[in-house]
């Protein structure tokens, strides 16, 4: 059982290495850098973009290496308009203090 887990992990590692090699061949260094910066913040989005780039290369839609501008266009397609709608919304709930004579904070008869 332990041996099977080790084999599975080794296979996953090998597949990930092959994936990285393909991306190095398909993308320019600038595009790879941008993708890695995205992966720091949104790893699932970066993974989807990489999947799209690999798939495009496999079916022959990419000629040459994907540069940063092409990657930006792919990012827009993958993200789409729905992602913009999901932007984070921050709400500040401020505590409201009323003048309360009974709070005891400024009692002079200590």
């Amino acid at each position: 059982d332990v041996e099977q887990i080790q084999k599975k992990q080794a296979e996953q590692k090998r597949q990930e290495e092959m994936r990285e090699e393909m991306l190095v061949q398909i993308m320019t260094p600038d595009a790879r850098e941008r993708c890695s910066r995205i992966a720091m913040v949104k790893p699932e989005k970066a993974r989807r973009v990489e999947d799209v780039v690999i798939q495009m290369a496999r079916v022959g839609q990419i000629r040459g290496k994907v540069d940063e501008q092409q990657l930006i266009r792919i990012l827009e397609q993958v993200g789409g308009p729905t992602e913009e709608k999901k932007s984070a919304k921050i709400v500040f709930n401020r505590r409201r203090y009323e003048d309360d004579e009974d709070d005891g904070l400024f009692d002079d008869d200590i």
Side-chain angles (χ1 to χ4, degrees):
D1 194 35
V2 174
E3 190 175 310
Q4 286 180 336
I5 292 172
Q6 289 175 341
K7 283 182 181 179
K8 190 179 239 184
Q9 288 174 341
E11 178 64 23
Q12 287 175 343
K13 183 178 178 182
R14 189 181 66 77
Q15 287 179 351
E16 195 61 34
E17 288 172 355
M18 287 176 53
R19 176 187 176 84
E20 288 300 317
E21 287 176 27
M22 286 180 68
L23 290 169
V24 167
Q25 292 175 1
I26 298 169
M27 299 169 75
T28 64
D30 290 340
R32 292 279 303 135
E33 182 182 343
R34 179 177 285 267
C35 203
S36 66
R37 286 193 311 259
I38 292 167
M40 286 185 229
V41 180
K42 296 183 179 182
E44 64 283 343
K45 184 172 184 173
R47 184 80 179 194
R48 286 194 317 261
V49 169
E50 290 171 351
D51 289 342
V52 168
V53 169
I54 290 171
Q55 185 61 30
M56 289 173 72
R58 283 184 178 157
V59 297
Q61 290 180 337
I62 296 176
R63 291 185 175 89
K65 288 191 173 194
V66 173
D67 63 8
E68 197 169 1
Q69 292 304 315
Q70 289 173 309
L71 184 69
I72 290 170
R73 286 194 294 275
I74 294 169
L75 279 165
E76 290 169 353
Q77 291 173 355
V78 169
T82 57
E83 186 156 305
E84 293 172 12
K85 294 178 186 175
K86 292 182 183 179
S87 64
K89 184 175 182 180
I90 299 172
V91 178
F92 292 98
N93 290 325
R94 300 180 193 274
R95 295 183 181 177
R96 289 174 177 72
Y97 296 101
E98 296 179 23
D99 287 280
D100 190 359
E101 302 274 338
D102 297 329
D103 64 3
L105 291 175
F106 298 105
D107 290 343
D108 291 333
D109 44 306
I110 296 178

